[in-house]
Amino acid sequence: MKIQYFVVGYLKQDKLFKTTDGGTTWSPSPISFPPIWVVKFYNENIGIVLTYDFFSPPKLNRTTNGGNTWETFNLPSIDAIPRDIEFVPGYPNKVWSIASVKYLDEKGLRSRCY
């Protein structure tokens, strides 16, 4: 069985949909998320959703039961926009993230990654 996920966004609430039959039917997650940036699953049960709405610190949402329930964690603010997140290979409870910030200086608009 291949499980797939699809994100539908509107205004400030994004909805995550799940299929277990190749896309014939889709079921919505039990909660809505702030704008979703990244969705990653380690396996059919363990997954993460990175959310960020520009007005509050980014959040990492984690499920351990295939999306039936979600636990939310605040991420440290480094004045940067989170861009991607991934599981550390072999460690379903560890993730790494990359973020970038754009700034203007005497050399023009530049970007820095963290």
Side-chain angles (χ1 to χ4, degrees):
M1 166 174 59
K2 183 173 183 176
I3 298 175
Q4 298 171 306
Y5 294 85
F6 181 72
V7 176
V8 175
Y10 57 96
L11 298 177
K12 289 189 169 196
Q13 296 296 309
D14 288 358
K15 201 71 167 171
L16 184 65
F17 288 82
K18 174 181 173 179
T19 183
T20 57
D21 58 14
T24 301
T25 59
W26 292 87
S27 58
S29 64
I31 64 169
S32 293
F33 295 93
I36 293 175
W37 284 67
V38 179
V39 176
K40 299 281 174 97
F41 272 77
Y42 184 81
N43 58 32
E44 65 186 38
N45 290 313
I46 300 172
I48 50 177
V49 172
L50 177 65
T51 61
Y52 185 57
D53 67 5
F54 293 102
F55 301 106
S56 58
K59 293 182 176 25
L60 181 68
N61 304 272
R62 180 179 71 154
T63 183
T64 56
N65 58 15
N68 294 320
T69 59
W70 294 88
E71 186 177 11
T72 300
F73 302 91
N74 289 321
L75 296 178
S77 178
I78 57 172
D79 295 326
I81 299 170
R83 297 293 181 191
D84 198 5
I85 196 159
E86 186 62 69
F87 286 98
V88 175
Y91 297 92
N93 291 323
K94 293 183 180 183
V95 296
W96 62 264
S97 177
I98 188 167
S100 69
V101 63
K102 292 190 184 227
Y103 61 95
L104 187 61
D105 66 10
E106 67 279 353
K107 294 182 181 179
L109 184 63
R110 299 178 5 162
S111 181
R112 181 182 308 148
C113 290
Y114 294 94

